Amino acid sequence: MFVLLRHLGRVRREIALPRAQRCGSLALRHVDAGSCNGCEHELAASANPYYDLQRHGLGIVASPRHADVLLVTGQITTRMVDPLRRAYDAMPEPRLVAALGDCAIGHNTLGDPAQLAGPLEGILPVSLRIPGCPPTPQQIADALVDLMLSSRSSKIARCGCP
Amino acid sequence: MSTRHVSIVPGLAPAAVEYVRAREWRMACERQSGAGGRFCGLFAGRGPMGLQANCVFAHADQDHVVCASAPGGEIDTIVDLFAAAEWDEREAHDCYGLRFDGHEPLRSLIDHPAEPDAWTVPIHGHDAYRVAVGPIHAGVIESGHFLFAVVGERILHLDLRLFYKHRGLQIAAEGRSLAEGLRHVQRVCGACAVTNTVAYAQACESALGFTPDRQLRQARTLLLELERLYNHLNDISAICAGVGFAPGATAFAGFKERAQRLNQRLSGHRFLFDTVALGASTLRIGQADALAAREELAALHQEEGRVWRELQFAASLQDRLDGVGALTRADAERLGATGPVARATGLRHDTRSESPRLAYRSFTPATLLRATGDVSARLNVRQIELEQTFAILDQLLSSRVTPGGVKPGGAEPGDFKPGDAALTGLGVARVESPRGETVCVVKTDRRAVERLHLRTGSYANWPVLVCATRDNLLPDFPLINKSFELCYACVDR
Ligand code: SF4
């Protein structure tokens, strides 16, 4: 165990992430509405020690009822429209929807039109778009931190400092 | 002038196609398995005489496809002969309306009827109850629905309802050019992008009668192993996370990040997207870059080994692994399990040892001293495979990587018998993904895709997961699931 913890300590020192400006928090909920799993991998990677999204106060929560932001990935399939809407409806207000990745934004979608429900914009009000196929963990982290800082004024990001 | 390849390398010959009448279908399939053929998937299609059933069998020298027209849209089931055909028949029914005589009840798989009876196994008894999970899960996970039948905490049965992410990519590819087909296959799954596209490219090349040259074989093998590297690191991290052992999960997530950064440096993409092309490879890695990559891999290998040894002594991890989600070797074989899941039960099959279209020379599948088929065995087999992958990558990067192409042939021109792939335009390819054998069948029609069928390692293993969860505790399910670490996207397509 000692070797493992020393390894982790060294990794953190070598990566030497700058201190985050702790000025609030956002609770994130992810819904895969028809992705290729690439965007999920990168969203999960944004929590690894190289990006450490949590240090900004950004964390993934287990239920949409606890979430401020709904992160949607993938092309929206007809079978995911209903679960997606229900997740959104379960969120307390104020709430935001972010399209994560080119598919969710509606770029370059591929597939049988009979199975796809069209772009996310037509289903939920999208306020943040994070382009890329998939967006890198850094791009995801940057976009979410920007969102948190900009939404402080709109009282979505709970802020403890003056 | 084109040069002809003279000798026939086993496995390089295009698949043999056997057309049979509907009433001979079962017998023909039985004959194939009697001759040593391994069931590799069944799929429906449309032929000149209506619906068609096709079944792929892997043989050591040449793959076989049995095709039968199904007049009236019905054909005999083969699920009693090959239990692994269960999902295939259900899918063929849902997508093409092909009925299978004797497959009772033929539950829906892709369709999502509202009635639970239409897709679940009935449960009777006093204390049995159901627990439903999904399609949206608590973590950052793909979408899919699990319905458990439970007594107390013990799982009696698990009904899977996937295909929430069914995008119809196979159907959408039909009628398009082969290159467009590749884009569709690329989109199927991010974590298996290389495997799926290599399988598709090989199937097309086989259908058109081409074999890859040495450079192309090496480039594709390199990409496949880079894909396996980051996936196996990810899967070990996932198992640690599955028992809540955060230090192990974090360390391996860090290793995965390093592997993906290496992918970015070598190929320009963290998931190696769009690195596979039809009949060619554009991957170019100079001597200096190859050397630097080798050094990074050696450093990663060393650190990974050190942390892995630590995991052996972490009781809070190890105590959770033994005997959980155990799968017997007989069940694995019967259900057609593949990949690390199958090798963890002691089955010695790895498609890499029979891939003449790739550069795996004298490859031997990973074997465990104690092939217990449980979570612990699935974890350990991945570590052994990581060692192999590090060795293969080290060898492939010992010289620079240059663009490659294909050459005509693979068998002597005289060896193309009527009914062979070059004439019918049917290509079959099998490639080992991080999750098992992926089979791709492409029917070409004048350089367009007529029918595309992708049966991934995950597709083969999902029904096996059901078997492995039986009689386990419900709270152990996330761990068992993580030890399989199957893709939903690869199945839903
Ligand atoms: S944007 Fe790219 S990585 Fe993300 S789901 Fe779509 S295809 Fe996959």
Side-chain angles (χ1 to χ4, degrees):
Chain A
M1 202 57 186
F2 177 66
V3 178
L4 178 51
L5 294 178
R6 206 176 50 189
H7 165 83
L8 287 174
R10 212 194 58 236
V11 168
R12 293 227 181 244
R13 270 198 309 283
E14 277 172 11
I15 301 167
L17 285 174
R19 265 185 97 86
Q21 22 171 328
R22 270 307 277 270
C23 251
S25 72
L26 280 180
L28 314 168
R29 178 61 240 163
H30 156 253
V31 173
D32 163 13
S35 83
C36 80
N37 200 11
C39 285
E40 280 70 26
H41 268 268
E42 293 300 54
L43 178 58
S46 66
N48 77 26
Y50 287 79
Y51 309 99
D52 200 5
L53 201 57
Q54 288 99 326
R55 81 202 149 96
H56 300 285
L58 293 162
I60 309 269
V61 291
S63 165
R65 292 189 199 284
H66 306 156
D68 305 306
V69 183
L70 194 65
L71 292 170
V72 184
T73 58
Q75 332 186 38
I76 320 298
T77 63
T78 49
R79 289 146 207 230
M80 279 309 293
V81 173
D82 191 40
L84 176 64
R85 279 220 183 90
R86 283 164 65 176
Y88 179 73
D89 290 344
M91 290 170 71
E93 292 190 52
R95 57 194 164 181
L96 294 174
V97 177
L100 180 62
D102 284 352
C103 282
I105 294 176
H107 288 161
N108 283 327
T109 50
L110 283 182
D112 179 5
Q115 308 293 346
L116 300 176
L120 177 63
E121 324 248 298
I123 300 164
L124 297 177
V126 179
S127 45
L128 175 68
R129 292 168 188 79
I130 311 176
C133 179
T136 61
Q138 191 64 57
Q139 287 166 335
I140 297 175
D142 290 348
L144 291 174
V145 170
D146 282 352
L147 177 72
M148 182 176 71
L149 296 178
S150 69
S151 57
R152 271 164 64 195
S153 48
S154 61
K155 296 208 179 62
I156 289 187
R158 285 173 287 272
C159 181
C161 51
Chain B
M1 220 186 77
S2 62
T3 49
R4 291 273 176 194
H5 202 99
V6 192
S7 64
I8 313 174
V9 183
L12 265 187
V17 186
E18 183 186 355
Y19 289 97
V20 297
R21 274 184 238 276
R23 58 186 149 79
E24 294 158 9
W25 159 253
R26 258 179 81 89
M27 240 158 49
C29 292
E30 243 178 326
R31 221 174 21 243
Q32 286 294 329
S33 75
R38 184 167 49 81
F39 173 84
C40 275
L42 175 153
F43 61 98
R46 277 181 243 284
M49 280 140 69
L51 286 179
Q52 225 181 34
N54 311 276
C55 195
V56 184
F57 290 92
H59 290 263
D61 51 347
Q62 186 183 28
D63 293 344
H64 283 249
V65 184
V66 179
C67 306
S69 292
E74 187 165 87
I75 200 154
D76 288 338
T77 182
I78 56 167
V79 78
D80 51 331
L81 306 173
F82 310 100
E86 192 206 335
W87 275 35
D88 301 70
E89 290 195 351
R90 290 164 66 187
E91 177 174 343
H93 177 256
D94 284 359
C95 288
Y96 286 82
L98 184 60
R99 294 184 308 280
F100 290 88
D101 189 20
H103 189 149
E104 287 289 339
L106 193 61
R107 296 194 171 88
S108 65
L109 182 76
I110 297 193
D111 289 345
H112 283 183
E115 262 306 298
D117 290 350
W119 61 278
T120 57
V121 173
I123 296 291
H124 305 287
H126 279 316
D127 298 323
Y129 63 98
R130 297 224 187 235
V131 177
V133 184
I136 301 176
H137 298 285
V140 181
I141 311 175
E142 298 181 80
S143 295
H145 181 67
F146 303 140
L147 189 58
F148 297 92
V150 191
V151 171
E153 288 206 326
R154 193 162 55 88
I155 301 173
L156 288 177
H157 180 70
L158 162 61
D159 283 302
L160 295 172
R161 188 194 230 186
L162 304 185
F163 297 92
Y164 276 88
K165 312 205 298 170
H166 180 53
R167 291 146 287 166
L169 287 166
Q170 295 182 150
I171 290 194
E174 285 174 14
R176 295 178 190 262
S177 70
L178 294 182
E180 277 281 307
L182 184 73
R183 281 186 60 217
H184 285 75
V185 172
Q186 156 78 61
R187 203 46 92 69
V188 167
C189 176
C192 308
V194 177
T195 311
N196 291 342
T197 46
V198 166
Y200 173 81
Q202 287 189 351
C204 290
E205 287 156 15
S206 161
L208 300 174
F210 290 110
T211 51
D213 64 12
R214 194 177 58 85
Q215 288 88 341
L216 183 55
R217 289 203 303 269
Q218 292 206 330
R220 285 183 179 165
T221 310
L222 178 69
L223 293 167
L224 283 166
E225 290 308 309
L226 286 172
E227 180 170 85
R228 189 172 337 272
L229 177 66
Y230 86 79
N231 269 291
H232 274 23
L233 292 170
N234 175 68
D235 297 353
I236 294 179
S237 168
I239 293 177
C240 292
V243 303
F245 185 62
T250 312
F252 273 85
F255 294 145
K256 176 200 173 198
E257 177 67 26
R258 277 171 71 176
Q260 284 195 284
R261 289 183 176 192
L262 185 68
N263 291 348
Q264 170 79 36
R265 276 215 299 285
L266 293 179
S267 77
H269 197 282
R270 283 165 58 89
F271 291 84
L272 311 159
F273 280 9
D274 300 318
T275 48
V276 176
L278 288 180
S281 144
T282 49
L283 190 67
R284 193 189 285 275
I285 302 170
Q287 192 80 51
D289 290 340
L291 191 68
R294 241 178 127 192
E295 278 168 10
E296 162 66 1
L297 282 167
L300 182 60
H301 186 186
Q302 199 184 22
E303 283 184 44
E304 192 270 339
R306 207 179 297 142
V307 170
W308 172 258
R309 276 190 295 282
E310 278 299 287
L311 295 189
Q312 307 312 301
F313 301 106
S316 48
L317 171 71
Q318 298 294 338
D319 286 356
R320 284 287 311 280
L321 308 179
D322 284 337
V324 177
L327 181 72
T328 64
R329 185 171 158 172
D331 278 339
E333 190 152 25
R334 180 175 59 85
L335 296 171
T338 175
V341 169
R343 291 189 284 276
T345 69
L347 285 179
R348 293 207 57 188
H349 178 259
D350 190 317
T351 313
R352 285 180 283 175
S353 57
E354 42 191 70
S355 296
R357 285 173 187 270
L358 294 167
Y360 293 112
R361 260 169 292 157
S362 61
F363 178 87
T364 32
T367 39
L368 286 175
L369 279 177
R370 287 179 60 241
T372 43
D374 52 6
V375 173
S376 159
R378 287 190 281 276
L379 176 67
N380 292 335
V381 84
R382 285 197 173 89
Q383 173 64 17
I384 298 179
E385 296 191 20
L386 270 178
E387 298 284 345
Q388 293 175 319
T389 295
F390 277 120
I392 297 171
L393 285 172
D394 188 63
Q395 197 256 321
L396 286 172
L397 287 166
S398 59
S399 58
R400 62 205 173 96
V401 178
T402 48
V406 288
K407 53 194 177 194
E412 280 226 70
D415 287 317
F416 285 109
K417 291 183 283 302
D420 269 1
L423 301 175
T424 55
L426 184 110
V428 178
R430 295 183 285 118
V431 180
E432 185 79 18
S433 83
R435 290 163 190 86
E437 183 182 65
T438 290
V439 183
C440 183
V441 184
V442 179
K443 258 191 201 177
T444 60
D445 173 25
R446 284 179 311 241
R447 305 229 163 207
V449 181
E450 190 190 311
R451 176 81 172 87
L452 164 66
H453 182 71
L454 193 66
R455 190 183 197 268
T456 57
S458 293
Y459 191 99
N461 279 339
W462 273 109
V464 181
L465 171 70
V466 173
C467 179
T469 50
R470 224 162 264 164
D471 274 336
N472 279 267
L473 299 183
L474 188 60
D476 275 339
F477 175 74
L479 175 61
I480 301 171
N481 195 17
K482 289 280 165 208
S483 72
F484 275 68
E485 194 65 11
L486 305 175
C487 316
Y488 300 62
C490 262
V491 173
D492 295 359
R493 295 165 300 191

